[in-house]
């Protein structure tokens, strides 16, 4: 085959807009990918964590004597062995590395053991004697602010008010409701794991599965009392994150043990410990009132939102800001009154999870929109389209939406998709599947719609940037590039995206991605749907710097062109603390879903038959990865709609296992029809819009709307359980 | 931990007699989970997978305790439709490749999926030790929460289960459409020649159990020899009696009230399907169970 001149001179393959195969895909499917839990070091010992069995208790005494006698034990450490500051946290440093005189949640780390074998460590752990004075836990978020304070400043972590327009209006039609969102877990498959290796000079290397190397490092260094340069982090194989790895788990613990014993220390949580070892999605209680005129135009929205942050603040302040600022959804409303509260309780700590505050609000405001449609006798799509925001709309914060906001278009796209055929007669496609609960009896079909909004990147004036280094040299007679960042690949496909960007920008096909570590500047967090935007932007900028030095040459001899660039998105502002006004967000992302469900109304079992989605992604740098994110986000939303919940009782977790914390299987998730719009955002690199979170927001309310349509029930809580559907 | 690997049943029974603390392991889908979770630390494991006799079935039927679910579905589906239906709902393909009815009986979890079928179909469990063989009716096999009638030196050798004499159904409620532990389950087996039916509930009492009153109700109410279409009132009464046979609890998987409700619904529906099939057979129509 010969190539035409056009083909010969066209850009190298595997650039942006294509979907080159990702390097980890086959390995993961075949079980050959090296995760952090596979780390190994000559001579290493194992760390284990003794955790509090109580949600709230005073520590009366800790006796390590017997534990220290166990042969093979190298160290047993408590808070008094923390050389630096025994407090850390993403936003407030309120969480002890090891508990001092009080434990505030079930599973809080109290002591550490380092031993020659995991089994030895377990045995020694069982010999640590902790005397607790058990206290009455605070578990109700709505009354937590007035309960006995769990922290010095009281139990209110943050209150964000939004006041826009008139505050006391009447409307033709008023609907109100109280909604609840249960505690969802990220349920990543690779449990927390890491390996800390001490060096002779008192410094330490930590190989770790995380979402943000530099913020981990800052917190670890502070707890160890070391300057940051003495703590080096390298990203290890990450088995999913979804927000659950933004906070520290064993990072400090492993380093403490390593520095204390002088030995490499490996720590791996098992599944149960993982449920105690990371933050979850905030459960929420949301009160909403919507007023509209008789044409369906929203006159006002009022909301009071409670988010249960659990025992420590984690990212609660930012989650509160999201729920508040995105609290009316992708709709134009001139008059908004919102009060959003994040609380401390003795429930498990909650923090970041895909959708981050927007998910909780989304369930409530979309439920309200359906209620409003019902009250007006309008269709759910019409009432949404009537109020849909567009480019130029003003947010409740006063911020003008200054790029595409195709809310009505997204809704119409999902509405116009063909509906699936009627209820199947194959039991595999009915609620219950091969469990053989129905052959069609009691099965009612329902259709529901939802649309959601999510802020992309970090907000409220945060200096959100990433650092990228691109190096070009000759390898075997042709140009080759290497790209280096500290931005974490957690499975989302950043490695491939960075290669694609370098190929497109430099026309160099061979691109190596160097290990992600702290020898380069901050890459920022792999969260807020921001890495393709911000680290992608940094790589693009670094390529531009390299390109101007390359100056069109294809042979640079022995020269090495090496450029490092720090890149930040446009600045945002803080919210006014009284009115909640301010240009707080960088970019908004939108997705819409139409769900079709079959509900066995007698047994309360649900099968989601179709879950179609339309989303604007600005520009699909890797179309297959975009679709993958939409499928995954939708599946996570399906989980919240019908099955996923960490159940607690008196602050204790009742289902810390995959036996009883259920996530959707391939037989629960329907194949999706997905429309991807590419309406470029002029402010973003390549026009891209963050992809990962928006589909998680609209999936849940669309499914619940469909279940409501099938059953006629109000359904104000997710996940919807068979008990809710059968009144039992 | 010792790992004992007998090649024959006789050898396995000798080992079990000598080491009553040895935990038998067949598919390992329960045992390995318990070891991983550190719920159990046996001094020895007794691997049964090398014993050919346990991995065979013969006409009659006598099903070796080590026959995995996938083979029950593929090879015995026509003769034992109820057991095959229950087997199909166990875990995932990986679990069905490894897991066995013997293991389900060994674990004796109230939520084990095969138990209601074994109870409703008059299965007999063959257990053996160096002292001899015992034939234990399924009825007498489940003695408490996760406890069965085995003596410490005994092994489960086989399950005796006659080929279906009439329509059979199994139904299981879980909060996910696959790979889920039963919130509650129900099995029914019709014995038209004996003018009766077996019925049993799972995951709705400390042990799997027969719904005796419900069975008696069907035997006294229905004419199996020349079946007429079922009255709704019969289905409802049957559902009620099945529900009353249960004594469920509230737990993370479901409420007691829901379990009672769901059992009544499953009982009604499965009786309807089984009866419809019987009507089809008697009227020679080859009609199908699907409504
Ligand atoms: C992911 C997953 C999903 C599951 N889903 C289901 C489900 O949907 N439904 C369900 O019912 N179960 C389920 N199970 C549980 C398990 O698969 C079943 O109970 C299975 O039948 C066990 O069979 P096994 O051969 O693997 O047993 P093993 O694990 O080998 O043994 C189980 C128990 O029986 C004892 N035992 C085994 N063989 C003998 C013998 N011949 N004589 C005496 N004692 C013996 C063992 O000592 C042990 O106590 C699931 C398990 C997993 C891990």
């Amino acid at each position: 085959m010969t190539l035409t001149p056009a083909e010969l001179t066209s850009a190298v393959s595997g650039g942006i807009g294509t979907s080159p195969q990702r390097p980890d895909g086959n390995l993961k499917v075949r079980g050959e990918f090296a995760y952090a839990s596979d780390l190994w070091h000559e001579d290493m010992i194992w760390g284990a964590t003794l955790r509090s069995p109580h949600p709230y208790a005073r520590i009366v005494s800790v006796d390590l004597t017997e534990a220290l006698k166990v042969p093979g034990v190298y160290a047993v450490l408590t808070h008094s062995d923390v050389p630096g500051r025994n407090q850390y946290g993403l936003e407030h440093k309120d969480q002890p590395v090891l508990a001092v005189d009080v434990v505030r949640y079930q599973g809080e780390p109290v002591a550490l053991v380092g031993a020659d074998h995991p089994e030895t460590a377990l045995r020694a752990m069982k010999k640590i004697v902790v005397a607790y004075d058990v206290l009455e836990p605070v578990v109700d978020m709505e009354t937590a602010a007035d309960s006995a304070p769990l922290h010095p400043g009281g139990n209110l972590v943050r209150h964000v008010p939004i006041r826009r327009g008139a505050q006391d209006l009447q409307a033709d039609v008023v609907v109100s409701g109280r909604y609840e969102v249960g505690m969802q877990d990220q349920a990543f498959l690779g449990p927390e794991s890491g390996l800390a290796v001490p060096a002779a000079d008192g410094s330490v290397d930590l190989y770790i599965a995380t979402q943000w190397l530099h913020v981990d490092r800052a917190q670890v260094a502070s707890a160890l009392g070391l300057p940051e340069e003495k703590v080096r982090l390298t990203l290890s194989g990450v088995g999913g994150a979804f927000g659950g790895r933004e906070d520290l788990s064993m990072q400090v613990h492993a380093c403490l043990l390593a520095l204390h014993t002088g030995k490499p220390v490996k720590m791996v949580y098992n599944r149960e410990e993982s449920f105690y070892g990371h933050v979850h999605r905030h459960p929420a209680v949301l009160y909403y009132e919507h007023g509209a005129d008789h044409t369906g135009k929203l006159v006002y929205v009022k909301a009071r939102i409670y988010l249960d942050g659990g025992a420590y603040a984690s990212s609660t302040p930012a989650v509160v800001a999201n729920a508040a600022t995105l609290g009316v959804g992708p709709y134009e409303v001139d008059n908004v009154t919102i009060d959003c509260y994040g609380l401390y309780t003795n429930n498990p700590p909650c923090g970041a999870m895909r959708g981050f505050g927007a998910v909780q609000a989304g369930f409530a405001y979309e439920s309200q929109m359906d209620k409003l449609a019902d009250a007006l006798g309008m269709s759910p799509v019409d009432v949404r389209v009537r109020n849909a925001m567009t480019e130029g709309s003003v947010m409740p914060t006063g911020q003008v939406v200054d790029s595409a906001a195709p809310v009505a278009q997204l809704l119409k796209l999902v509405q116009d998709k063909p509906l699936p055929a009627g209820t199947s007669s194959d039991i595999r496609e009915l609620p219950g599947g091969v469990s053989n609960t129905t052959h069609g009896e009691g099965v009612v079909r329902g259709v529901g719609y939802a649309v959601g909004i999510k802020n992309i990147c970090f907000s409220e004036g945060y200096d959100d940037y990433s650092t990228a280094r691109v190096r070009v040299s000759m390898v075997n007679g042709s140009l080759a590039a290497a790209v280096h960042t500290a931005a974490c690949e957690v499975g989302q496909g950043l490695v491939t995206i960075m290669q694609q960007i370098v190929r497109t920008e430099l026309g160099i096909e061979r691109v190596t991605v160097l290990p992600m570590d702290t020898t380069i500047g901050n890459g920022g967090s792999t969260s807020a749907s921001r890495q393709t935007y911000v680290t992608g932007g940094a790589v693009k900028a670094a390529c531009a710097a390299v390109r101007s030095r390359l100056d069109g040459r294809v042979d640079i001899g022995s020269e090495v062109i090496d450029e490092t660039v720090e890149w930040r998105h446009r600045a945002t502002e803080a919210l006014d603390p009284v009115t909640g006004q301010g240009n707080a967000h960088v970019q908004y992302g939108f997705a819409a879903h139409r769900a079709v469900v079959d509900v066995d109304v007698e047994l309360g079992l649900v099968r989601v038959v179709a879950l179609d989605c339309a989303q604007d992604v600005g520009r699909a740098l890797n179309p297959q990865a975009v679709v993958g994110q939409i499928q995954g986000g939708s599946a996570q939303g399906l989980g919240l709609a019908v099955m996923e919940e960490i159940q607690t009782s008196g602050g204790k977790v009742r289902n810390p296992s995959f036996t009883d914390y259920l996530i959707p299987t391939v037989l629960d998730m329907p194949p999706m029809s997905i429309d991807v719009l590419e309406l470029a955002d002029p402010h973003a690199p390549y026009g891209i819009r963050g992809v990962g979170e928006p589909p998680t927001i609209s999936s849940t309310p669309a499914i619940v709307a469909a279940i409501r349509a099938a059953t006629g029930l109000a359904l104000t809580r997710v996940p919807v359980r068979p008990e809710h559907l059968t009144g039992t | 931990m010792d790992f004992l690997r007998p090649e024959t049943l006789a050898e396995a029974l000798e080992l079990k007699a000598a080491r009553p603390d040895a935990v038998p392991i067949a598919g390992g889908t329960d045992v390995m989970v318990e070891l991983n979770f550190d719920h159990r630390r046996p001094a020895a494991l007794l691997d049964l997978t090398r014993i050919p006799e346990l991995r065979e079935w013969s006409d009659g039927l006598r099903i070796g305790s080590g026959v995995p679910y996938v083979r029950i579905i593929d090879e015995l589906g026509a003769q034992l439709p109820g057991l095959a239906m229950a087997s199909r709902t166990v875990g995932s393909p990986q679990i069905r490749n490894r897991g066995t009815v013997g293991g389900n009986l060994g674990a004796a979890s109230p939520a084990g999926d095969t138990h209601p079928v074994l109870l409703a179909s008059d299965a007999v469990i063959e257990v053996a030790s160096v002292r001899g063989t015992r034939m234990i009716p399924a009825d007498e096999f489940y003695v408490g929460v996760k406890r069965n009638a085995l003596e410490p030196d005994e092994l489960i050798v086989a399950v005796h289960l006659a080929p279906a004499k009439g329509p059979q159904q199994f139904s299981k409620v879980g909060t996910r459409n696959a790979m889920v532990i039963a919130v509650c389950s129900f099995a029914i087996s019709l014995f038209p020649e004996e003018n009766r039916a077996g019925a049993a509930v799972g995951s709705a009492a400390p042990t799997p159990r027969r719904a005796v009153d419900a069975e008696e109700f069907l035997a006294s109410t229905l004419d199996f020899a020349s079946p007429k279409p079922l009255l709704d009132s019969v289905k409802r009464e049957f559902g009620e009696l099945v529900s009353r046979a249960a004594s469920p609890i509230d737990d993370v998987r479901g409420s007691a009230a829901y379990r009672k409700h769901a059992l009544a619904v499953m009982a009604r529906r499965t009786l309807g399907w089984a009866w419809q099939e019987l009507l089809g057979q008697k009227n020679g129509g080859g009609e199908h169970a699907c409504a």
Side-chain angles (χ1 to χ4, degrees):
Chain A
M1 186 182 138
T2 54
L3 293 174
T4 65
E7 280 165 340
L8 280 168
T9 55
S10 71
V12 294
S13 67
I16 65 166
T18 67
S19 302
Q21 206 174 27
R22 42 191 295 171
D24 54 339
N26 284 343
L27 293 173
K28 282 177 176 169
V29 170
R30 297 161 72 99
E32 290 167 355
F33 184 79
Y35 291 100
S37 49
D38 298 314
L39 288 163
W40 192 264
H41 198 290
E42 201 61 31
D43 227 19
M44 73 183 187
I45 63 169
W46 297 79
T49 315
L50 180 72
R51 296 174 182 274
S52 164
H54 307 294
Y56 192 28
R58 208 152 284 295
I59 297 177
V60 180
S61 62
V62 181
D63 185 351
L64 310 178
T65 323
E66 293 304 313
L68 282 163
K69 286 185 192 159
V70 175
V73 167
Y74 284 80
V76 183
L77 307 180
T78 66
H79 69 90
S80 59
D81 300 299
V82 178
R85 186 169 175 195
N86 185 29
Q87 274 183 316
Y88 72 93
L90 283 175
E91 298 186 36
H92 294 323
K93 304 217 173 308
D94 63 353
Q95 187 158 3
V97 173
L98 291 169
V100 182
D101 49 8
V102 63
V103 286
R104 297 184 179 86
Y105 72 96
Q106 182 199 20
E108 179 156 357
V110 175
L112 303 170
V113 177
D116 57 6
H117 191 276
E119 188 62 35
T120 317
L122 273 183
R123 242 175 254 164
M125 227 169 67
K126 287 183 181 156
K127 299 208 164 164
I128 300 174
V129 184
V130 185
Y132 291 102
D133 180 6
V134 176
L135 303 169
E136 186 61 34
V138 174
V139 295
D140 176 26
M141 65 182 104
E142 290 188 74
T143 54
D146 302 321
S147 303
L150 303 173
H151 291 273
N155 294 341
L156 179 63
V157 181
R158 189 179 185 191
H159 168 214
V160 172
I162 308 270
R163 300 286 182 272
R164 177 156 192 87
Q167 295 298 297
D168 249 315
L169 286 176
Q170 310 288 316
D172 297 342
V173 179
V174 175
V175 292
S176 59
R178 177 186 188 274
Y179 303 93
E180 268 184 58
V181 177
M183 187 186 294
Q184 190 179 19
D185 189 67
Q186 297 83 357
F188 44 67
L189 292 185
E192 292 81 350
S193 26
L195 173 73
V197 184
D201 64 350
S203 66
V204 63
D205 279 282
L206 177 64
Y207 301 86
I208 186 79
T210 182
Q211 288 180 246
W212 194 353
L213 290 165
H214 281 76
V215 156
D216 278 10
R217 178 172 73 166
Q219 295 180 91
V220 172
S222 152
L224 296 176
L226 290 175
E228 287 194 8
E229 61 275 14
K230 288 204 147 184
V231 179
R232 296 170 296 269
L233 272 68
T234 303
L235 186 70
S236 185
V238 183
F242 312 108
R245 295 186 212 269
E246 277 188 51
D247 293 79
L248 296 185
S249 55
M250 94 286 278
Q251 283 87 332
V252 182
H253 299 160
C255 293
L256 266 180
L257 284 167
L259 291 174
H260 207 270
T261 61
K263 296 212 155 247
V265 174
K266 175 167 175 173
M267 293 185 84
V268 185
Y269 294 174
N270 66 20
R271 181 58 57 196
E272 179 175 354
E273 186 170 21
S274 175
F275 273 98
Y276 296 108
H278 63 259
V279 300
H280 316 289
R281 188 193 297 291
H282 290 69
V285 174
L286 312 97
Y287 295 86
Y288 268 78
E289 181 180 308
H290 281 58
D293 69 18
H294 60 85
T295 70
K297 177 84 196 114
L298 285 170
V299 176
Y300 68 85
V301 174
K302 293 181 183 172
R304 200 165 80 253
I305 301 171
Y306 299 91
L307 295 159
D308 186 347
Y312 294 101
S314 177
S315 47
T316 294
V319 172
V320 168
N322 272 10
T325 57
L326 307 170
V328 306
Y331 304 112
E332 277 188 347
V333 198
D334 292 336
N335 308 294
V336 176
T337 313
I338 292 178
D339 287 290
C340 186
Y341 305 92
L343 287 314
Y344 283 126
T345 66
N346 295 112
N347 287 320
C350 289
M353 183 175 168
R354 195 177 203 168
F356 204 84
V359 162
Q360 294 90 332
F363 172 61
Y365 64 67
E366 285 300 84
S367 298
Q368 283 284 102
M369 292 307 279
D370 285 335
K371 216 171 187 179
L372 186 62
D374 218 34
L376 287 157
M378 287 174 80
S379 85
V381 172
D382 288 348
V383 83
R384 286 174 169 85
V385 169
R386 176 90 180 86
N387 294 288
M389 73 172 31
T390 57
E391 184 168 353
S393 292
V394 181
M395 293 291 293
T397 55
Q399 183 167 21
V400 175
V401 177
D402 61 0
S403 70
V407 176
Q409 190 185 349
L410 295 172
L411 282 162
K412 286 181 177 147
L413 280 169
V414 291
Q415 186 179 32
D416 288 346
K417 284 177 185 292
L419 280 163
T423 297
S424 172
S425 59
D426 181 340
I427 63 164
R428 288 172 301 183
E429 290 168 16
L430 287 168
V434 295
S435 292
N436 192 36
T437 46
T438 181
H439 295 172
E441 298 90 338
V443 177
V444 183
R445 178 152 291 187
V447 179
Y449 293 87
V451 57
I453 178 171
K454 178 67 185 43
N455 58 320
I456 309 297
C457 300
F458 278 31
S459 299
E460 295 188 85
Y462 189 86
D463 182 23
D464 190 15
Y465 68 94
S466 183
T467 315
R469 171 177 169 222
V470 173
R471 192 188 63 202
V472 169
S473 60
M474 300 301 289
V475 174
N476 290 338
S478 54
L479 287 170
V483 55
H484 187 197
T485 73
C488 295
E489 167 67 81
V490 303
Q492 82 277 34
L494 181 65
V495 163
T496 312
I497 289 287
M498 293 196 296
Q499 289 174 318
Q500 291 179 253
I501 290 174
V502 176
R503 288 188 191 120
T504 293
E505 294 300 319
L506 298 180
I508 295 173
E509 184 145 354
R510 196 178 330 164
V511 184
T512 309
V513 176
L514 300 178
M516 293 148 168
D517 60 28
T518 51
T519 63
I520 182 167
N522 199 341
S525 178
T526 296
S527 60
S529 307
R530 68 177 279 289
Q531 283 300 20
T532 299
Y533 191 130
V534 187
T535 293
V539 171
K540 182 171 188 269
C543 286
V546 167
R547 195 171 50 231
S548 70
R549 284 179 57 192
L550 260 181
D551 200 20
R553 287 175 294 163
V554 292
D555 187 342
I556 56 173
S558 58
E559 190 185 339
V560 175
I561 301 177
D562 193 336
E563 290 286 341
T564 300
V565 167
E566 210 171 77
W567 189 88
R568 38 186 46 78
H569 58 66
R570 58 192 172 140
T572 57
E573 303 167 1
L575 292 167
D576 181 285
V578 176
T579 63
Q581 300 298 293
N583 295 322
H585 297 313
V586 181
Q587 186 190 54
Y588 297 98
F590 306 89
H593 280 90
R594 183 188 65 194
V596 181
V597 303
D598 278 340
V599 184
D600 181 336
V601 296
E602 278 186 295
L603 284 175
L605 301 180
V606 176
R607 169 160 224 114
V608 180
V609 175
L611 185 59
D612 296 336
C613 182
Q615 181 171 340
D616 172 32
V617 303
R619 174 90 188 269
L621 293 197
N622 182 320
Q624 195 179 42
V626 162
V627 166
Q629 287 293 318
I630 294 172
Q631 289 166 334
S634 302
Q636 225 153 7
L638 183 153
L640 179 60
V642 294
M643 64 182 86
E644 290 190 39
E645 182 175 10
I646 293 185
Q647 301 182 41
T648 60
S649 163
K652 289 195 176 181
V653 175
R654 300 172 70 203
N655 54 340
S657 73
F658 280 164
T659 307
D660 286 311
Y661 184 88
L662 299 182
I663 54 177
T665 69
V666 68
L667 294 177
D668 296 281
M669 182 66 196
M672 296 178 70
S673 160
I674 296 169
D675 284 335
V676 174
L677 296 188
E678 298 185 87
L679 307 175
D681 178 348
H683 311 287
Y686 303 113
I688 69 131
R689 197 177 292 286
V691 177
E693 290 172 288
T696 312
I697 297 160
S698 41
S699 162
T700 306
I703 291 166
V704 178
I707 302 174
R708 283 193 199 104
T711 61
L713 297 169
L715 304 180
T716 56
R717 185 180 199 283
V718 281
V720 175
R721 294 192 49 89
E723 282 84 354
H724 300 151
L725 295 175
T726 54
T728 54
Chain B
M1 190 196 298
D2 297 327
F3 193 55
L4 313 173
R5 310 204 73 186
E7 304 277 348
T8 64
L9 181 59
E11 197 189 330
L13 296 177
E14 291 290 342
L15 283 167
K16 187 65 175 149
R19 299 285 304 267
D21 60 342
V23 169
I25 177 165
T29 59
D30 277 319
V31 171
M32 291 311 295
V33 173
E34 292 193 328
L35 296 186
N36 269 337
F37 284 178
D38 203 18
H39 291 166
R40 192 166 185 178
R41 298 198 162 203
L45 285 180
L46 180 62
D47 175 23
L48 303 179
T49 56
R50 298 188 157 194
I51 303 170
E53 183 179 353
L54 300 184
R55 299 183 64 82
E56 288 158 6
W57 59 268
S58 52
D59 289 338
L61 292 153
R62 179 178 183 271
I63 307 163
S65 62
V67 176
Y69 292 116
V70 64
R71 286 185 54 203
I72 290 174
I73 298 165
D74 291 348
E75 299 166 25
L76 297 173
Q79 297 187 74
L80 300 173
L83 189 62
M85 279 185 214
S87 301
R88 220 171 272 130
T89 75
V90 174
S92 58
Q94 295 90 327
I95 298 297
R96 294 192 289 274
N97 285 337
R98 297 281 314 175
T100 64
V101 179
N104 218 222
L105 286 163
S109 157
D113 285 329
T114 63
H115 309 318
V117 177
L118 299 182
L119 285 166
S121 314
D122 295 343
V124 174
I125 323 300
E126 178 185 338
V127 308
S129 69
V130 288
R131 298 175 290 115
T133 293
R134 288 199 293 155
M135 301 294 280
I136 309 176
D139 253 3
E140 294 162 23
F141 189 78
Y142 311 103
V143 299
V145 179
K146 299 194 177 180
R147 284 191 303 118
N148 58 32
L150 282 191
E151 297 295 337
D153 62 347
E154 284 178 323
L155 293 174
I156 302 164
V157 176
V159 174
H160 294 256
L161 196 53
K165 306 238 171 56
Q168 301 184 335
Q169 287 288 338
F170 172 81
S171 181
K172 155 179 164 182
V173 164
T175 37
R176 151 165 99 180
N177 290 303
M179 258 282 274
V180 69
I181 294 188
V183 172
C184 53
S185 62
F186 178 72
I188 184 168
S189 296
L190 304 192
F191 297 90
E193 284 156 33
E194 300 168 41
N195 222 54
R196 68 179 185 95
V201 302
S203 213
T207 65
R209 63 161 75 141
R210 271 184 114 112
V212 177
D213 291 346
E215 291 178 349
E216 283 169 4
F217 168 73
L218 291 188
S220 63
T221 312
L222 297 179
D223 181 355
F224 289 75
S226 43
K228 312 252 160 7
L230 266 189
L231 295 176
D232 263 1
S233 59
V234 171
K235 284 200 257 181
R236 254 198 306 277
E237 177 69 19
F238 178 63
E240 267 316 298
L241 290 168
V242 166
S243 170
R244 257 183 256 158
S247 45
I249 53 167
D250 289 325
D251 64 17
V252 285
R253 293 176 197 150
S255 70
Y258 173 73
R259 289 183 159 106
K260 288 210 145 214
H261 166 81
L263 282 172
V265 175
M266 288 191 290
R268 273 201 319 261
R269 289 183 182 173
T270 51
L271 172 62
W273 303 331
W275 198 257
Q276 195 62 33
E277 193 183 329
L278 185 68
L279 283 171
Q281 289 168 3
K282 294 282 174 182
N283 302 335
E287 206 171 322
H288 264 284
C290 291

